[in-house]
Amino acid sequence: MKTLLAMDLKPRDIMTKAAFENAIRMVMVTGGSTNAVLHLIAMSRSVQDPNVAITLEDFQRISDVTPFLADLKPSGKYVMEDVQNIGGTPGLIKFMIDNDLFDGDQMTVTGKTHRLNLEEMNHPGLTPGQDIIRPLSNPIKKTGHLLMMYGNLCPGGGVAKITGKEGESFTGTARVYDNEQLMMRGLENKEIQAGEVVIIRYEGPKGGPGLPEMLSPTSAIMGAGLGDKVALLTDGRFSGGSHGFCIGHITPEAQVGGPLALVKNGDPIRIDARPEQRTIDLLISDEEWERRRAEWTPPPLRVSQGTLYKYVQCVATASEGCVTDETGTASASAISAAAAKTPAVAELEARIAELEAQVGKVAP
């Protein structure tokens, strides 16, 4: 602290765009939680400098060129204590600097750059022969495990954690629950079947409220033997301990009329998590979309007074880090209208047109 005062070193001197990009690369290399997306976006916006603020697309840009290397739980073999025993975070930072994955010239709270800190420590780097952090020549996944998803179910974005073990696509029918507790009850009652896309909605920043973290649903699905047989979508968020085909932070959230609010049991949903696609689509016609949108009414807020009620009035979307001291972006309808049609939707419309033409030919 004395050094910081003497240097007049402020948080904004450390919280640079490059520093946040370092953090994103560290998350990608180590297979970190989807929560990193939410928190790093919020932290970057607190600097109140548009040149520093990061977005979902910054995560995707870095994910596209950063390999997933750490064989860590919940999808891998080791835990963070094992990383500590082979050189710890400093060793990993040195490895990343040496491989042009990390900007070592960024300032730290010591008053020195990462590179100078390592030099003063005389840190040897990662232990030779260790197999926790894989070499660049043998990654767990050639690109990052976090994907920023779009499509007609999440036109404002969503965050998927795809380690490569879940596959890159999933097509199934919707099984819809309006909160986490109902989903857990449905699982106990054996309502959830293989091949379904389980949706837990009204758990977003306003609907939750607070974008509550969920570990129980994914753990219970794994325990029921459905981990590789269903997909899970939510406008809430998952714990860092979650694994499986899980996509959270879906924006706009259901509480404000986002597309997730319009899904019904049995609706066909296609998830394409290939890096070049990154879409989640509800395969219904435009006319059906409009009919459901006209019929939908928002459920009552779960809070009607106090601090949480104040929070609901000012919280931004998950894609904006759920900050509470800024004006949010466009409404749910504006976000949806601005989104381009994805290949799955275009394919559906083309098929509908083809069937209509066939019907027209045989009509008397």
Side-chain angles (χ1 to χ4, degrees):
M1 184 61 73
K2 184 177 180 181
T3 299
L4 294 174
L5 291 170
M7 295 179 64
D8 193 31
L9 192 63
K10 303 290 199 307
R12 283 187 175 89
D13 299 321
I14 297 172
M15 298 167 70
T16 64
K17 183 68 173 272
F20 281 110
E21 291 184 346
N22 276 345
I24 295 172
R25 290 190 190 95
M26 177 66 77
V27 169
M28 297 301 173
V29 164
T30 57
S33 169
T34 55
N35 287 305
V37 180
L38 179 75
H39 298 316
L40 289 174
I41 287 176
M43 290 169 64
S44 73
R45 292 171 80 106
S46 73
V47 178
Q48 298 180 331
D49 181 348
N51 294 318
V52 173
I54 56 176
T55 67
L56 293 183
E57 287 313 301
D58 288 310
F59 276 88
Q60 190 59 53
R61 170 175 55 84
I62 292 172
S63 179
D64 287 341
V65 295
T66 305
F68 171 28
L69 302 176
D71 189 11
L72 294 172
K73 292 181 182 295
S75 62
K77 178 179 179 181
Y78 298 100
V79 296
M80 283 305 298
E81 181 182 2
D82 299 313
V83 176
Q84 180 65 23
N85 293 334
I86 61 162
T89 302
L92 182 53
I93 289 175
K94 185 177 188 301
F95 168 85
M96 291 176 67
I97 290 174
D98 291 345
N99 287 281
D100 296 323
L101 293 172
F102 196 97
D103 183 353
D105 295 324
Q106 291 302 302
M107 181 59 66
T108 73
V109 74
T110 66
K112 301 180 178 66
T113 65
H114 290 283
R115 197 182 304 275
L116 286 176
N117 286 335
L118 289 168
E119 289 177 2
E120 289 194 358
M121 293 171 67
N122 194 28
H123 201 289
L126 297 175
T127 302
Q130 59 80 29
D131 63 348
I132 302 171
I133 309 298
R134 292 194 183 183
L136 296 181
S137 60
N138 183 32
I140 295 172
K141 191 169 180 279
K142 291 182 180 180
T143 56
H145 64 299
L146 296 184
L147 295 179
M148 308 304 113
M149 306 293 287
Y150 293 95
N152 68 13
L153 263 187
C154 54
V159 183
K161 185 177 181 182
I162 306 295
T163 63
K165 298 179 180 179
E166 309 87 349
E168 292 188 320
S169 64
F170 192 99
T171 300
T173 54
R175 175 71 63 178
V176 184
Y177 297 98
D178 285 350
N179 59 53
E180 179 183 0
Q181 292 72 29
L182 288 175
M183 177 266 164
M184 293 296 291
R185 197 177 307 154
L187 187 63
E188 291 172 3
N189 294 335
K190 302 187 184 304
E191 295 172 359
I192 299 172
Q193 303 296 318
E196 292 184 329
V197 178
V198 180
I199 291 176
I200 306 176
R201 62 189 178 190
Y202 298 109
E203 296 286 7
K206 295 180 184 292
L211 203 73
E213 185 178 75
M214 294 182 284
L215 175 58
S216 298
T218 52
S219 299
I221 282 175
M222 290 292 177
L226 294 170
D228 59 348
K229 298 178 178 65
V230 301
L232 188 56
L233 307 180
T234 183
D235 51 7
R237 64 191 174 109
F238 297 112
S239 160
S242 299
H243 56 121
F245 214 124
C246 304
I247 303 171
H249 306 202
I250 287 180
T251 302
E253 63 174 297
Q255 185 67 46
V256 300
L260 207 63
L262 308 181
V263 183
K264 295 183 177 182
N265 283 332
D267 282 346
I269 295 174
R270 181 184 299 177
I271 304 170
D272 190 339
R274 291 176 295 174
E276 66 274 17
Q277 297 296 332
R278 299 184 286 114
T279 56
I280 311 172
D281 288 311
L282 178 62
L283 303 178
I284 60 175
S285 67
D286 286 347
E287 292 76 17
E288 180 65 13
W289 270 116
E290 293 308 316
R291 186 183 67 78
R292 294 185 187 185
R293 190 171 286 115
E295 293 175 350
W296 180 82
T297 56
L301 292 171
R302 293 176 183 170
V303 292
S304 58
Q305 61 183 26
T307 302
L308 276 178
Y309 182 73
K310 293 179 182 178
Y311 168 88
V312 168
Q313 307 309 310
C314 61
V315 67
T317 68
S319 295
E320 299 166 291
C322 293
V323 296
T324 58
D325 57 351
E326 299 178 18
T327 302
T329 56
S331 65
S333 58
I335 293 173
S336 300
K341 288 184 177 177
T342 58
V345 175
E347 178 185 324
L348 172 67
E349 292 180 342
R351 180 58 178 158
I352 291 173
E354 179 183 330
L355 291 172
E356 288 177 340
Q358 292 175 359
V359 170
K361 288 180 181 179
V362 299

